[in-house]
């Protein structure tokens, strides 16, 4: 849902002048940003990397003169840093404009690959492959980001692909491995399951899904059926917990810079790019990114993305520990101030791991819809859910409803996602701000 733009560190804003105040302004009031799952501010080192690239590496990376070579070196270094961050190989990284492009690139590549392998003549699988004219089948879950859900819904509407949306468990908030495997068809070509949900923070069982899919692929290969590829959108997990493509066992992984204090571009990991895992360009042009994503590279933003990845690779454990401490303290203070009967922690599911920074909760009360509470807050900058669902108005989050959160609880939901610089002192300010907002709303009833 609607997210507030990220402020600079130590933001201060002035309240509006009181009536008749002749332009007099009140003292600055601090604002506390807790919407890091929507976007994060740039780290100073990232800003420096972007600025230096603009100044010193303005040349075309495909050119041989010094400024061009400098740009190419920066791009190569950034690719190395991204690969190190996720435990992959630099040659398997493709730069994109962001997560939406990366996700769409995977989906459209798999559609094209499905049709290519089933229209090829004399293939070993020809006698066992799905009937001519069959549609590729995708499996995903009901709490995916819109950049997965909407492309798949569009393909299904246009009769280009078949899609199964597997419900998440109302017990643990996860897409269950057995349910995903039960949805497999002879024409299944891709399973795409996010690594961590952006509203609840629940970590999906991607390694287990990968193990089961690999075992299934061995049997499918014997039967001449297409192999099932596995994709995960890791936008929310990167920078908050360790992410390793070997442990995950995925074929594709989406990277989004502005979720881990980098600029608003992204990348796509493709295991054994073009040799083991197919990728087809959606754009055609000058041949950059080995023709998989042509267009003159955005060197400054790539430099910033590389620096952000380098910081994550070096400091991820410290980032995770700090955010977990602050998030846990936030939940303790909410329960202490409002009481266990009034606070419902929407992101706590028994047996499920979650992101260390995400607290989704509701304050029970008929006048306490999340959007109304936020509107009364003086200091807290947060959201009622995902930015991609900002058109829902006062309707509860579909993600929370899918996870079994009752309607009256879900419509009161607030998502607070802390960051690297959030402190316990910030938590105290936010809890007091929420208390005054609730008192204001209930006093109006």
């Amino acid at each position: 849902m609607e997210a507030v733009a990220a402020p600079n560190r130590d933001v201060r804003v002035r309240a509006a002048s009181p009536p008749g105040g002749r332009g007099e302004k009140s003292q600055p009031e601090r604002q506390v940003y807790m919407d890091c799952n929507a976007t994060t501010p740039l780290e100073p080192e990232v800003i420096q990397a972007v600025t230096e690239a603009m100044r010193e590496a303005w040349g075309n990376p495909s050119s041989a003169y010094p400024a061009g070579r400098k740009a190419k070196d920066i791009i190569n270094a950034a690719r190395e840093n991204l690969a190190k961050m996720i435990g992959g190989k630099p040659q398997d990284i493709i730069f994109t404009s962001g997560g939406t492009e990366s996700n769409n690139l995977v989906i459209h590549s798999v559609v094209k690959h499905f049709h290519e392998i089933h229209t090829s003549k004399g293939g070993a699988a020809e006698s066992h492959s799905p009937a001519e004219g069959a549609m590729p089948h995708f499996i995903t879950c009901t709490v995916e980001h819109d950049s997965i859900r909407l492309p798949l819904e569009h393909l299904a509407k246009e009769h280009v692909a078949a899609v199964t949306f597997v419900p998440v468990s109302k017990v643990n908030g996860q897409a269950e491995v057995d349910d995903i495997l039960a949805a497999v068809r002879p024409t299944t070509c891709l399973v795409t399951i996010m690594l961590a949900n952006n509203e609840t923070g629940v970590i999906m069982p991607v390694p287990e899904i990968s193990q089961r899919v690999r075992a299934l692929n061995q049997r499918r290969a014997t039967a001449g059926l297409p192999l099932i590829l596995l994709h995960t959108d890791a936008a929310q997990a990167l920078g908050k917990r360790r992410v390793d493509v070997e442990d995950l066992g995925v074929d594709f992984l989406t990277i989004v810079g502005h979720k881990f204090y980098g600029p608003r571009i992204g990348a796509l990991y493709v295991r054994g790019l073009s040799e083991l895992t197919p990728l087809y360009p959606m754009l055609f042009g000058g041949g950059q990114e080995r023709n998989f994503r042509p267009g003159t590279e955005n060197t400054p933003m790539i430099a910033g993305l590389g620096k952000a990845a380098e910081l994550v690779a070096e400091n991820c454990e410290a980032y995770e520990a700090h955010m977990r401490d602050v998030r846990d303290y936030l939940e303790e203070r909410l329960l202490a101030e409002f009481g266990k009967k009034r606070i419902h922690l929407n992101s706590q599911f028994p047996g499920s791991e979650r992101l260390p920074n995400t607290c989704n909760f509701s304050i029970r009360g008929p006048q306490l819809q999340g959007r109304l509470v936020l509107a009364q807050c003086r200091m807290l900058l947060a959201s009622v859910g995902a930015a991609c669902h900002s058109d829902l108005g006062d309707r509860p989050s579909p993600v929370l409803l899918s996870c079994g959160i009752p309607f009256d609880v879900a419509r009161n939901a607030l998502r607070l996602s802390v960051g690297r610089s959030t402190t316990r002192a910030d938590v105290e300010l936010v809890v007091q701000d929420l208390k005054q907002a609730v008192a204001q709303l209930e006093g109006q009833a």
Side-chain angles (χ1 to χ4, degrees), residues 88-167:
K89 297 177 181 178
Q91 61 267 30
D92 290 342
I93 300 290
I94 295 293
F95 292 109
T96 67
S97 62
T100 295
E101 182 186 341
S102 294
N103 289 344
N104 276 262
L105 183 56
V106 170
I107 290 168
H108 289 284
S109 289
V110 171
V111 169
K112 185 165 185 178
H113 181 65
F114 178 91
H115 289 300
E116 283 207 355
I117 62 176
H118 293 303
T119 56
S120 60
K121 300 296 182 181
E126 188 175 356
S127 60
H128 299 280
S129 62
E132 185 176 350
M135 291 190 295
H137 175 239
F138 292 79
I139 299 173
T140 188
C141 72
T142 53
V143 299
E144 289 292 321
H145 189 270
D146 277 4
S147 60
I148 290 291
R149 179 180 65 84
L150 292 177
L152 291 176
E153 287 182 349
H154 175 76
L155 292 177
K157 182 179 179 181
E158 296 295 320
H159 304 290
V160 174
V163 184
T164 299
F165 289 90
V166 175

Side-chain angles (χ1 to χ4, degrees), residues 269-350:
Y269 163 82
V270 185
R271 180 185 301 276
L273 176 60
S274 79
E275 296 179 359
L276 299 177
T277 307
L279 191 72
Y280 298 84
M282 291 194 296
L283 305 173
F284 298 89
Q288 293 86 355
E289 293 298 285
R290 289 160 287 165
N291 279 315
F292 292 111
R293 206 280 185 177
T296 303
E297 300 92 339
N298 190 345
T299 307
M301 295 301 103
I302 291 174
L305 183 64
K307 175 55 70 172
E310 180 182 359
L311 293 173
V312 169
E314 292 175 353
N315 304 299
C316 190
E317 290 184 2
Y319 294 154
E320 180 177 1
H322 170 76
M323 288 186 282
R324 189 182 306 280
D325 175 76
V326 175
R327 191 275 313 277
D328 289 350
Y329 183 66
L330 169 63
E331 293 181 347
E332 290 171 11
R333 295 294 295 122
L334 288 171
L335 291 169
E337 289 292 339
F338 291 97
K340 293 183 178 180
K341 291 185 178 180
R342 295 207 72 186
I343 290 290
H344 187 276
L345 296 174
N346 304 320
S347 51
Q348 286 192 6
F349 294 89

Side-chain angles (χ1 to χ4, degrees), residues 49 165 245-246 251 374 410:
F165 289 90
V245 292
E246 294 303 320
D251 301 294
L374 279 181

Side-chain angles (χ1 to χ4, degrees), residues 16-38:
S17 301
R22 297 184 180 276
E24 293 178 5
K25 295 182 178 180
S26 63
Q27 289 297 314
E29 188 170 57
R30 181 175 181 185
Q31 293 195 317
V32 180
Y33 183 70
M34 288 193 178
D35 205 19
C36 290
N37 283 6

